Amino acid sequence: AGVRPLSFPQGRRRKRRRRRRRPAPGPPAATMSASAVFILDVKGKPLISRNYKGDVAMSEIEHFMPLLMQREEEGALTPLLSHGRVHFLWIKYSNLYLVATTLKNANASLVYSFLYKTVEVFSEYFKELEEESIRDNFVIVYELLDELMDFGFPQTTDSKILQEYITQQGNKLETGKSRVPPTVTNAVSWRSEGIKYKKNEVFIDVIESVNLLPSCPCVHPQVNANGSVLLSEIVGTIKLKVFLSGMPELRLGLNDRVLFELTGRNKNKSVELEDVKFHQCVRLSRFDNDRTISFIPPDGDFELMSYRLSTQVKPLIWIESVIEKFSHSRVEIMVKAKGQFKKQSVANGVEISVPVPSDADSPRFKTSVGSAKYVPEKNIVIWSIKSFPGGKEYLMRAHFGLPSVEKEEEEGRPPIGVKFEIPYFTVSGIQVRYMKIIEKSGYQALPWVRYITQSGDYQLRTS
Amino acid sequence: MPYLGSEDAVKELKKALCNPHVQADRLRYRNVIQRVIRHMTQGVDMSGVFMEMVKASATVDIVQKKLVYLYMCTYAPLKPDLALLAINTLCKDCSDPNPMVRGLALRSMCSLRMPGVQEYIQQPILNGLRDKASYVRRVAVLGCAKMHNLHGDSEVDGALVNELYSLLRDQDPIVVVNCLRSLEEILKQEGGVVINKPIAHHLLNRMSKLDQWGQAEVLNFLLRYQPRSEEELFDILNLLDSFLKSSSPSVVMGAAKLFLILAKKFPHVQTDVLMQVKGPLLAACSSESRELCFAALCHVRQILHSLPGHFSSHYKKFFCSYSEPHYIKLQKVEVLCELVNDENVQQVLEELRGYCTDVSADFAQAAILAIGGIARTYTDQCVQILTELLELRQEHITTVVVQTFRDLVWLCPQCTEAVCQALPGCEENIQDSEGKQALIWLLGVHGERIPNAPYVLEDFVENVKSETFPAVKMELLTALLRLFLSRPAECQDMLGRLLHYCIEEEKDMAVRDRGLFYYRLLLAGIDEVKRILCSPKSDPSLGLLEDQAERPVNSWALDFNTLVPVYGKARWATISKCQGAERRGLELPNTASLAASGPLIPEEDKERVQELSDSGALMLVPNLQLTAEYFEKTWLSLQVAHQQVVPWQGAVHPDTLQMALQVVNIQTIAVSRAGAQPWKAYLSAQDDTGCLFLTELLLEPENLEMQISVKQSEARTETLSSFISVLETVIGTIGDIKP
């Protein structure tokens, strides 16, 4: 509906001629197309590969690892390498390299996105994507590579849909013919028809991650001490777990400031969201018109939307540290942590990891609360605090011995990392006001909401 | 399983595949086939069991079928005769009631890549295009492109093309996108798929139904479409507005590019678009995927070339964090260097100062160079930081700081005093050639302000025998002679020793010749030496102009969201050069640079230039006197009227170029010293009607292309083009007659 009738066959040739006489309108469309995709082990040996186009010799991959090593030595390694006419776009995931080769001046971010999508799909099949799981499941890997891409172009990449017709059970004997899932032909490509649940429910998770923007401690030491110069950035996501029958229509209501302004409501309790991004299922035109978030959801887990907060707040957990290194004898560490959030809230599972020199030994700890543990393979001390109420302040001291012979290599200055989770709390004050669920069979469905604030990229530099 | 050599493995598997008991037991049969594929995956040649595998394709087990077809696609080019035997089974599967099987068979058949298969696949493809299952249609549509590729350069099948064009109306979004991809491939020779108004609007309406790959693809194809009217243009932009905020970074970038290209005549729209994608780009810059982050950073730099202030308030986003890979840190440092302004300079410099002492020497040096770049605008603060770095007495830091100082005093003479005070003591911490050259140059040129300059140079003279780099010796000769002019008493003796060494003992011919030249020059008298050696010690006008070198958005919009910004322009130029003439021939025939790269016959050039300037409407005035200040003012007030690149090899010899330009009445206003990177020159000329031509020549570090930007005081295209052809001829000539 709404598609205008098209007319080409006759007009086409004439138009093309006219077009060709014009000065070149632009370069050839640099479409994404991968000639082949390789999965290599950490030494660069191909574990599995798929030749999609046949325009690049598969032996070209032999140049990849030497090239990578050479560039690394030169200090000029980038995720894009070239050898002759061939471009290698690669990502590294756990102990694997995923490499796409192409001859075209392709669209780099699209190729990287595709490789990450491949990782995501594989991970959902094998839990852990690593060398072993590729070797153990090479049949499924081939099957998936075949469906993910054809002739170098991405095809079906939605793992939920793929799981409907490529199953691990497929490895067991299956005499019955596998059917094409209706989704592959559906107009709503992200949801199959005929889904049934006994109990219709939707779980909504509002998750806000706190990133700490780095700042140099020496700039304003006096201001920094009370933690007001270092600012955090909040990235929020709303995730849904959908157990609903049929083809339901959902509408989500938030205390969105723009909406409140549109409808003339009191905007004090509203939240200003920036850079809002939605899952493909959300009707963007409706959101643009009247800020309504309406959609037919995919089945199961998915991320409905993400947003950024324009206001910056002070760090929720503030760390002060003194690390004193007495060469050839000892290191003394003092770390103070302060909860800078509401007294009623509690941060759970707080883990503060403090770097120590790699040649440190004989650790001793003293903590006012929680426990400290030395993790020599990562050269850190982890101070864990099970529950950390807002407004409280705790202290940890650590003492390490240092060998009398110092090692040659200079070490970097790794930051202090903090992990935490604060339930029933959002920094922004965002609220789900309603979730309307309408399905033509008219069943009653229950929405459940949960709010969590957690640490994202939360690191503090040591001086 | 016991270890078997590949031949034994083939034999054993062959036996197993033929064994009727195995064939009867489906599970065992499939296991044997899996072992064949496993060996194939490990790179063992399994083509020996081709016949047996072909037989195994006749099965109801779809996984087994897939494996066998995969095997056939891999080995068909090696065994074309046997592969033809499989065609029957494949054809039969193409009419299987199960659409999965039909699709699988058709896809495999089209991927066989062997001669002679075309005649068999044509009919199944045509059937596939009309299949009721979209899964099969998707495969069939791409099959058309595969079939065309197999044919090589043969005729385009008009009926098939029409069928594909009509399939753009298909219900299934992936079929639609595949149609575009397939047509693009088939019509490659004719300029690709044609996007006319009905198609463009049809695609626009389908956009929201597509997945991220489809959206990115369609956005790319829409670049071909030129809206008929302004009204239509803005309608399209409105329709696409929401894609600038897509959750997929590649769709955001694709949409941004389309906006920039469509709105090429509306700079305010372009600026507005860049404002809108700021958020998504910043988000991508802190993406969990490092590679996407890297690509985004490269594009941020691209945008900063045109809008230097664009990301200034978000400078903290570009601070490096400890665990980031090198390539991201280096990009971030470059970005920081470009977005610095009065408000954030303090914080940015503090941050960069922290990086200078990083354990990674490469990263530390990149940070120092960045501070050097910022020093052109915020000289005092930067020189102070750099001076403090010298106190660390680290070799890798000192050498880069001194090189930065050398470049800085050339551009910003006001910092000479501070630099001269910082230099004493540096010589102890410099070992490499580049650093030594920089230090010696500074001591030679500004030695009269550095009390111990002669003694530092004396150390170098003492150790000249063990010096390994000829370039250092050359620099030393020049520096010492220069210093001799200002402080003769302290230098005379060692100058004598150095010249003696160079003439009598030195093995490197260039050094020896330089020594002899200076010796003879000294014989000609001290005034002569002064006349030759006392050149300017700085060129501030060059620095000022360089800072203002903002590029218009349209100069890079076409490269946006391709590999070009990700490689970097210079590196891309090298790569595309390496990729040989055949591709260049395909991609560049319509651009202006081809005209410039046409061959010229050196002997006739001078006459040709004269002819050109005589015959055309252009008459350049001789002896035009233009001050650098006036040039600068005019340059900044004008828009670039013409920009192009011409091929270039190696370094530039400024004197030769200057002389050659003089012949055609083009004056050189300012020029970088020979070997500077990037190398620049500013030229001016005036024709008989009083119209000024101001030109910038820019040679990027890779030294492969000379970029020419011309500004004109009165917009007149005929004279502009004749001026450019004169300039091109001169530059082409110089490029050809290089020693």
Side-chain angles (χ1 to χ4, degrees), chain B residues 299-347:
Chain B
H299 284 88
V300 165
R301 281 184 64 194
Q302 183 83 79
I303 293 173
L304 281 174
H305 282 313
S306 301
L307 305 168
H310 200 57
F311 291 94
S312 293
S313 53
H314 299 275
Y315 66 96
K316 279 195 174 181
K317 283 277 195 178
F318 303 101
F319 284 2
C320 303
S321 88
Y322 179 74
S323 49
E324 276 167 347
H326 219 63
Y327 53 78
I328 290 191
K329 287 186 181 170
L330 293 179
Q331 287 296 328
K332 282 190 170 176
V333 166
E334 294 279 337
V335 170
L336 282 176
C337 181
E338 283 172 64
L339 58 65
V340 75
N341 65 11
D342 290 353
E343 271 114 68
N344 60 28
V345 62
Q346 187 66 26
Q347 284 84 346

Short mmCIF file of all heavy atoms in Angstrom, two decimals, chain B residues 299-347:
data_model
loop_
_atom_site.label_atom_id
_atom_site.label_comp_id
_atom_site.label_asym_id
_atom_site.label_seq_id
_atom_site.Cartn_x
_atom_site.Cartn_y
_atom_site.Cartn_z
N HIS B 299 36.11 9.67 10.68
CA HIS B 299 35.14 10.58 10.07
C HIS B 299 35.01 11.89 10.86
O HIS B 299 34.77 12.93 10.27
CB HIS B 299 33.79 9.88 9.91
CG HIS B 299 33.78 8.92 8.77
ND1 HIS B 299 34.16 7.61 8.89
CD2 HIS B 299 33.49 9.11 7.47
CE1 HIS B 299 34.09 7.03 7.72
NE2 HIS B 299 33.68 7.91 6.83
N VAL B 300 35.20 11.81 12.16
CA VAL B 300 35.20 13.04 12.96
C VAL B 300 36.33 13.95 12.47
O VAL B 300 36.15 15.16 12.29
CB VAL B 300 35.38 12.71 14.45
CG1 VAL B 300 35.75 13.96 15.24
CG2 VAL B 300 34.11 12.12 15.01
N ARG B 301 37.48 13.37 12.22
CA ARG B 301 38.61 14.18 11.73
C ARG B 301 38.27 14.82 10.40
O ARG B 301 38.61 15.98 10.14
CB ARG B 301 39.85 13.31 11.57
CG ARG B 301 40.54 13.06 12.88
CD ARG B 301 41.81 12.28 12.67
NE ARG B 301 42.77 13.04 11.89
CZ ARG B 301 43.85 12.47 11.35
NH1 ARG B 301 44.08 11.19 11.51
NH2 ARG B 301 44.71 13.21 10.68
N GLN B 302 37.62 14.03 9.55
CA GLN B 302 37.21 14.55 8.25
C GLN B 302 36.32 15.78 8.40
O GLN B 302 36.53 16.79 7.76
CB GLN B 302 36.45 13.44 7.51
CG GLN B 302 36.04 13.79 6.13
CD GLN B 302 37.16 13.56 5.15
OE1 GLN B 302 37.41 12.45 4.74
NE2 GLN B 302 37.87 14.62 4.81
N ILE B 303 35.36 15.68 9.31
CA ILE B 303 34.43 16.79 9.52
C ILE B 303 35.17 18.00 10.09
O ILE B 303 34.93 19.13 9.71
CB ILE B 303 33.28 16.35 10.45
CG1 ILE B 303 32.42 15.30 9.75
CG2 ILE B 303 32.42 17.54 10.86
CD1 ILE B 303 31.37 14.68 10.62
N LEU B 304 36.12 17.72 10.99
CA LEU B 304 36.86 18.81 11.61
C LEU B 304 37.66 19.63 10.59
O LEU B 304 37.93 20.81 10.80
CB LEU B 304 37.81 18.26 12.67
CG LEU B 304 37.17 17.92 14.02
CD1 LEU B 304 38.18 17.24 14.93
CD2 LEU B 304 36.63 19.16 14.68
N HIS B 305 38.03 19.01 9.47
CA HIS B 305 38.76 19.76 8.45
C HIS B 305 37.93 20.93 7.94
O HIS B 305 38.47 21.95 7.56
CB HIS B 305 39.10 18.86 7.27
CG HIS B 305 40.26 17.96 7.55
ND1 HIS B 305 41.42 18.42 8.10
CD2 HIS B 305 40.44 16.64 7.37
CE1 HIS B 305 42.27 17.42 8.23
NE2 HIS B 305 41.69 16.32 7.81
N SER B 306 36.62 20.73 7.92
CA SER B 306 35.76 21.78 7.40
C SER B 306 35.15 22.63 8.51
O SER B 306 34.93 23.81 8.33
CB SER B 306 34.62 21.18 6.58
OG SER B 306 35.15 20.44 5.54
N LEU B 307 34.85 22.00 9.63
CA LEU B 307 34.22 22.73 10.73
C LEU B 307 35.08 22.56 11.98
O LEU B 307 34.79 21.71 12.82
CB LEU B 307 32.82 22.18 11.00
CG LEU B 307 31.85 22.14 9.83
CD1 LEU B 307 30.64 21.30 10.18
CD2 LEU B 307 31.42 23.54 9.47
N PRO B 308 36.13 23.35 12.11
CA PRO B 308 37.09 23.10 13.19
C PRO B 308 36.48 23.15 14.58
O PRO B 308 36.95 22.48 15.48
CB PRO B 308 38.12 24.23 13.02
CG PRO B 308 37.87 24.81 11.69
CD PRO B 308 36.46 24.53 11.32
N GLY B 309 35.42 23.92 14.75
CA GLY B 309 34.88 24.05 16.09
C GLY B 309 33.82 23.01 16.44
O GLY B 309 33.28 23.02 17.54
N HIS B 310 33.57 22.11 15.48
CA HIS B 310 32.37 21.27 15.58
C HIS B 310 32.30 20.43 16.84
O HIS B 310 31.23 20.27 17.41
CB HIS B 310 32.31 20.37 14.35
CG HIS B 310 30.95 19.83 14.07
ND1 HIS B 310 29.88 20.63 13.87
CD2 HIS B 310 30.50 18.56 13.97
CE1 HIS B 310 28.82 19.89 13.65
NE2 HIS B 310 29.16 18.62 13.70
N PHE B 311 33.40 19.86 17.28
CA PHE B 311 33.35 18.96 18.43
C PHE B 311 34.02 19.56 19.66
O PHE B 311 34.27 18.85 20.63
CB PHE B 311 34.00 17.62 18.08
CG PHE B 311 33.22 16.83 17.07
CD1 PHE B 311 33.51 16.92 15.73
CD2 PHE B 311 32.19 16.00 17.47
CE1 PHE B 311 32.80 16.19 14.79
CE2 PHE B 311 31.46 15.27 16.54
CZ PHE B 311 31.77 15.37 15.21
N SER B 312 34.31 20.87 19.61
CA SER B 312 35.15 21.45 20.66
C SER B 312 34.59 21.27 22.05
O SER B 312 35.32 21.02 23.00
CB SER B 312 35.39 22.93 20.38
OG SER B 312 36.16 23.06 19.22
N SER B 313 33.25 21.39 22.19
CA SER B 313 32.71 21.31 23.54
C SER B 313 32.68 19.87 24.06
O SER B 313 32.45 19.62 25.23
CB SER B 313 31.31 21.90 23.58
OG SER B 313 30.53 21.29 22.59
N HIS B 314 32.92 18.91 23.15
CA HIS B 314 32.91 17.51 23.58
C HIS B 314 34.32 16.97 23.70
O HIS B 314 34.54 15.77 23.57
CB HIS B 314 32.12 16.67 22.57
CG HIS B 314 30.70 17.09 22.44
ND1 HIS B 314 29.72 16.63 23.29
CD2 HIS B 314 30.11 17.95 21.60
CE1 HIS B 314 28.57 17.18 22.96
NE2 HIS B 314 28.78 17.98 21.93
N TYR B 315 35.28 17.87 23.91
CA TYR B 315 36.69 17.44 23.84
C TYR B 315 36.99 16.28 24.78
O TYR B 315 37.82 15.43 24.48
CB TYR B 315 37.62 18.61 24.11
CG TYR B 315 37.55 19.16 25.52
CD1 TYR B 315 38.44 18.74 26.49
CD2 TYR B 315 36.58 20.09 25.87
CE1 TYR B 315 38.36 19.23 27.78
CE2 TYR B 315 36.50 20.58 27.15
CZ TYR B 315 37.39 20.15 28.10
OH TYR B 315 37.31 20.62 29.38
N LYS B 316 36.29 16.20 25.89
CA LYS B 316 36.60 15.13 26.85
C LYS B 316 36.33 13.74 26.28
O LYS B 316 36.92 12.76 26.72
CB LYS B 316 35.80 15.32 28.13
CG LYS B 316 36.42 16.34 29.04
CD LYS B 316 35.86 16.24 30.44
CE LYS B 316 36.62 17.17 31.35
NZ LYS B 316 36.13 17.09 32.72
N LYS B 317 35.40 13.68 25.33
CA LYS B 317 35.10 12.40 24.70
C LYS B 317 36.32 11.83 23.99
O LYS B 317 36.36 10.65 23.67
CB LYS B 317 33.99 12.60 23.66
CG LYS B 317 32.63 12.73 24.25
CD LYS B 317 32.10 11.35 24.49
CE LYS B 317 30.62 11.38 24.73
NZ LYS B 317 30.12 10.03 24.93
N PHE B 318 37.25 12.69 23.67
CA PHE B 318 38.39 12.23 22.88
C PHE B 318 39.63 12.04 23.75
O PHE B 318 40.73 11.92 23.23
CB PHE B 318 38.65 13.21 21.73
CG PHE B 318 37.46 13.37 20.84
CD1 PHE B 318 36.64 14.48 20.94
CD2 PHE B 318 37.12 12.38 19.95
CE1 PHE B 318 35.51 14.62 20.15
CE2 PHE B 318 36.00 12.51 19.15
CZ PHE B 318 35.20 13.62 19.25
N PHE B 319 39.45 12.04 25.06
CA PHE B 319 40.57 11.71 25.93
C PHE B 319 40.78 10.19 25.86
O PHE B 319 39.82 9.43 25.79
CB PHE B 319 40.28 12.14 27.37
CG PHE B 319 40.42 13.63 27.60
CD1 PHE B 319 40.74 14.47 26.55
CD2 PHE B 319 40.22 14.17 28.85
CE1 PHE B 319 40.86 15.84 26.75
CE2 PHE B 319 40.35 15.53 29.06
CZ PHE B 319 40.66 16.37 28.01
N CYS B 320 42.02 9.78 25.90
CA CYS B 320 42.30 8.36 25.72
C CYS B 320 42.16 7.63 27.05
O CYS B 320 42.52 8.17 28.09
CB CYS B 320 43.72 8.17 25.22
SG CYS B 320 44.03 9.03 23.70
N SER B 321 41.66 6.41 26.99
CA SER B 321 41.65 5.65 28.23
C SER B 321 42.67 4.54 28.13
O SER B 321 43.09 4.13 27.05
CB SER B 321 40.25 5.14 28.55
OG SER B 321 40.03 3.91 27.95
N TYR B 322 43.10 4.08 29.27
CA TYR B 322 44.28 3.24 29.39
C TYR B 322 44.26 2.02 28.47
O TYR B 322 45.25 1.69 27.83
CB TYR B 322 44.40 2.80 30.85
CG TYR B 322 45.57 1.90 31.11
CD1 TYR B 322 46.85 2.41 31.14
CD2 TYR B 322 45.39 0.53 31.32
CE1 TYR B 322 47.94 1.60 31.39
CE2 TYR B 322 46.47 -0.29 31.57
CZ TYR B 322 47.74 0.25 31.60
OH TYR B 322 48.81 -0.56 31.83
N SER B 323 43.10 1.36 28.40
CA SER B 323 43.08 0.06 27.73
C SER B 323 42.79 0.15 26.23
O SER B 323 42.73 -0.87 25.57
CB SER B 323 42.03 -0.82 28.40
OG SER B 323 40.84 -0.10 28.50
N GLU B 324 42.62 1.33 25.71
CA GLU B 324 42.29 1.43 24.28
C GLU B 324 43.46 1.02 23.41
O GLU B 324 44.61 1.24 23.76
CB GLU B 324 41.91 2.87 23.94
CG GLU B 324 40.48 3.19 24.24
CD GLU B 324 40.19 4.67 24.21
OE1 GLU B 324 41.15 5.47 24.20
OE2 GLU B 324 39.02 5.03 24.21
N PRO B 325 43.15 0.43 22.24
CA PRO B 325 44.26 0.07 21.34
C PRO B 325 44.92 1.32 20.78
O PRO B 325 44.34 2.40 20.75
CB PRO B 325 43.58 -0.74 20.24
CG PRO B 325 42.16 -0.37 20.28
CD PRO B 325 41.86 0.04 21.68
N HIS B 326 46.12 1.09 20.34
CA HIS B 326 46.96 2.14 19.82
C HIS B 326 46.30 3.00 18.75
O HIS B 326 46.37 4.22 18.79
CB HIS B 326 48.16 1.44 19.21
CG HIS B 326 49.40 2.17 19.47
ND1 HIS B 326 49.88 2.34 20.74
CD2 HIS B 326 50.25 2.78 18.64
CE1 HIS B 326 50.97 3.03 20.66
NE2 HIS B 326 51.23 3.30 19.40
N TYR B 327 45.66 2.32 17.79
CA TYR B 327 45.13 3.07 16.65
C TYR B 327 44.04 4.04 17.07
O TYR B 327 43.88 5.10 16.46
CB TYR B 327 44.67 2.15 15.52
CG TYR B 327 43.70 1.04 15.88
CD1 TYR B 327 42.36 1.30 16.06
CD2 TYR B 327 44.14 -0.28 16.01
CE1 TYR B 327 41.47 0.29 16.37
CE2 TYR B 327 43.26 -1.30 16.31
CZ TYR B 327 41.92 -1.01 16.49
OH TYR B 327 41.04 -2.01 16.79
N ILE B 328 43.32 3.70 18.15
CA ILE B 328 42.29 4.63 18.61
C ILE B 328 42.94 5.81 19.32
O ILE B 328 42.59 6.96 19.11
CB ILE B 328 41.30 3.89 19.54
CG1 ILE B 328 40.48 2.94 18.69
CG2 ILE B 328 40.43 4.86 20.30
CD1 ILE B 328 39.31 2.33 19.36
N LYS B 329 43.94 5.52 20.14
CA LYS B 329 44.62 6.60 20.86
C LYS B 329 45.22 7.60 19.88
O LYS B 329 45.08 8.81 20.06
CB LYS B 329 45.72 6.02 21.74
CG LYS B 329 45.22 5.29 22.96
CD LYS B 329 46.38 4.90 23.83
CE LYS B 329 45.92 4.14 25.05
NZ LYS B 329 47.04 3.55 25.78
N LEU B 330 45.87 7.10 18.83
CA LEU B 330 46.52 8.01 17.88
C LEU B 330 45.48 8.89 17.19
O LEU B 330 45.70 10.08 17.01
CB LEU B 330 47.33 7.21 16.85
CG LEU B 330 48.54 6.48 17.41
CD1 LEU B 330 49.26 5.72 16.30
CD2 LEU B 330 49.51 7.43 18.08
N GLN B 331 44.35 8.29 16.81
CA GLN B 331 43.30 9.09 16.18
C GLN B 331 42.78 10.15 17.14
O GLN B 331 42.54 11.28 16.76
CB GLN B 331 42.12 8.21 15.73
CG GLN B 331 42.38 7.34 14.53
CD GLN B 331 42.64 8.14 13.28
OE1 GLN B 331 42.10 9.23 13.11
NE2 GLN B 331 43.48 7.62 12.41
N LYS B 332 42.60 9.75 18.40
CA LYS B 332 42.04 10.70 19.37
C LYS B 332 42.99 11.87 19.56
O LYS B 332 42.54 13.02 19.68
CB LYS B 332 41.79 9.98 20.70
CG LYS B 332 40.53 9.13 20.68
CD LYS B 332 40.20 8.65 22.07
CE LYS B 332 38.81 8.01 22.09
NZ LYS B 332 38.50 7.45 23.40
N VAL B 333 44.28 11.60 19.60
CA VAL B 333 45.25 12.68 19.77
C VAL B 333 45.15 13.66 18.59
O VAL B 333 45.17 14.87 18.77
CB VAL B 333 46.68 12.11 19.91
CG1 VAL B 333 47.71 13.20 19.74
CG2 VAL B 333 46.84 11.44 21.26
N GLU B 334 45.01 13.11 17.39
CA GLU B 334 44.87 13.97 16.21
C GLU B 334 43.61 14.83 16.32
O GLU B 334 43.63 16.01 16.01
CB GLU B 334 44.76 13.11 14.94
CG GLU B 334 46.01 12.34 14.62
CD GLU B 334 47.06 13.19 13.93
OE1 GLU B 334 46.66 14.20 13.33
OE2 GLU B 334 48.25 12.85 14.02
N VAL B 335 42.52 14.20 16.78
CA VAL B 335 41.27 14.94 16.92
C VAL B 335 41.44 16.07 17.94
O VAL B 335 41.07 17.21 17.68
CB VAL B 335 40.12 13.99 17.34
CG1 VAL B 335 38.90 14.79 17.72
CG2 VAL B 335 39.79 13.03 16.22
N LEU B 336 42.05 15.74 19.08
CA LEU B 336 42.24 16.75 20.13
C LEU B 336 43.01 17.94 19.58
O LEU B 336 42.70 19.09 19.85
CB LEU B 336 43.01 16.14 21.30
CG LEU B 336 42.20 15.25 22.23
CD1 LEU B 336 43.11 14.63 23.28
CD2 LEU B 336 41.11 16.05 22.91
N CYS B 337 44.03 17.64 18.79
CA CYS B 337 44.89 18.66 18.24
C CYS B 337 44.08 19.59 17.34
O CYS B 337 44.35 20.77 17.24
CB CYS B 337 45.99 17.95 17.48
SG CYS B 337 47.17 18.99 16.73
N GLU B 338 43.05 19.04 16.69
CA GLU B 338 42.31 19.85 15.73
C GLU B 338 41.13 20.59 16.36
O GLU B 338 40.66 21.57 15.80
CB GLU B 338 41.82 18.96 14.59
CG GLU B 338 42.95 18.66 13.63
CD GLU B 338 42.58 17.63 12.57
OE1 GLU B 338 41.70 17.92 11.77
OE2 GLU B 338 43.19 16.54 12.57
N LEU B 339 40.63 20.12 17.49
CA LEU B 339 39.43 20.78 18.02
C LEU B 339 39.74 21.79 19.11
O LEU B 339 38.85 22.37 19.72
CB LEU B 339 38.40 19.75 18.50
CG LEU B 339 38.76 18.71 19.58
CD1 LEU B 339 39.04 19.35 20.91
CD2 LEU B 339 37.62 17.73 19.67
N VAL B 340 41.02 22.03 19.35
CA VAL B 340 41.40 22.88 20.47
C VAL B 340 40.93 24.32 20.23
O VAL B 340 40.94 24.82 19.11
CB VAL B 340 42.93 22.78 20.67
CG1 VAL B 340 43.68 23.55 19.63
CG2 VAL B 340 43.32 23.19 22.06
N ASN B 341 40.43 24.96 21.27
CA ASN B 341 40.06 26.38 21.17
C ASN B 341 40.35 27.08 22.50
O ASN B 341 40.86 26.45 23.44
CB ASN B 341 38.60 26.54 20.76
CG ASN B 341 37.63 26.02 21.79
OD1 ASN B 341 38.01 25.71 22.93
ND2 ASN B 341 36.37 25.90 21.42
N ASP B 342 40.02 28.38 22.58
CA ASP B 342 40.41 29.15 23.77
C ASP B 342 39.87 28.53 25.06
O ASP B 342 40.52 28.57 26.09
CB ASP B 342 39.89 30.59 23.65
CG ASP B 342 40.64 31.35 22.58
OD1 ASP B 342 41.63 30.78 22.06
OD2 ASP B 342 40.23 32.47 22.24
N GLU B 343 38.67 27.96 24.99
CA GLU B 343 38.05 27.46 26.22
C GLU B 343 38.70 26.17 26.71
O GLU B 343 38.86 25.97 27.90
CB GLU B 343 36.57 27.20 26.02
CG GLU B 343 35.71 28.39 26.29
CD GLU B 343 35.04 28.87 25.02
OE1 GLU B 343 34.18 28.15 24.51
OE2 GLU B 343 35.40 29.96 24.54
N ASN B 344 39.04 25.28 25.77
CA ASN B 344 39.50 23.97 26.24
C ASN B 344 41.01 23.78 26.16
O ASN B 344 41.51 22.72 26.54
CB ASN B 344 38.77 22.86 25.47
CG ASN B 344 39.03 22.94 23.98
OD1 ASN B 344 40.07 23.42 23.55
ND2 ASN B 344 38.09 22.46 23.18
N VAL B 345 41.72 24.79 25.67
CA VAL B 345 43.15 24.56 25.41
C VAL B 345 43.89 24.11 26.67
O VAL B 345 44.72 23.19 26.62
CB VAL B 345 43.80 25.81 24.77
CG1 VAL B 345 43.73 27.01 25.69
CG2 VAL B 345 45.23 25.52 24.40
N GLN B 346 43.54 24.71 27.80
CA GLN B 346 44.22 24.37 29.05
C GLN B 346 44.07 22.87 29.37
O GLN B 346 45.06 22.17 29.58
CB GLN B 346 43.61 25.22 30.17
CG GLN B 346 44.30 25.11 31.50
CD GLN B 346 45.71 25.70 31.42
OE1 GLN B 346 45.99 26.55 30.59
NE2 GLN B 346 46.60 25.19 32.27
N GLN B 347 42.82 22.41 29.32
CA GLN B 347 42.55 21.01 29.67
C GLN B 347 43.16 20.06 28.65
O GLN B 347 43.72 19.03 29.01
CB GLN B 347 41.04 20.75 29.74
CG GLN B 347 40.36 21.27 30.98
CD GLN B 347 39.99 22.74 30.85
OE1 GLN B 347 40.47 23.43 29.95
NE2 GLN B 347 39.16 23.22 31.75
#
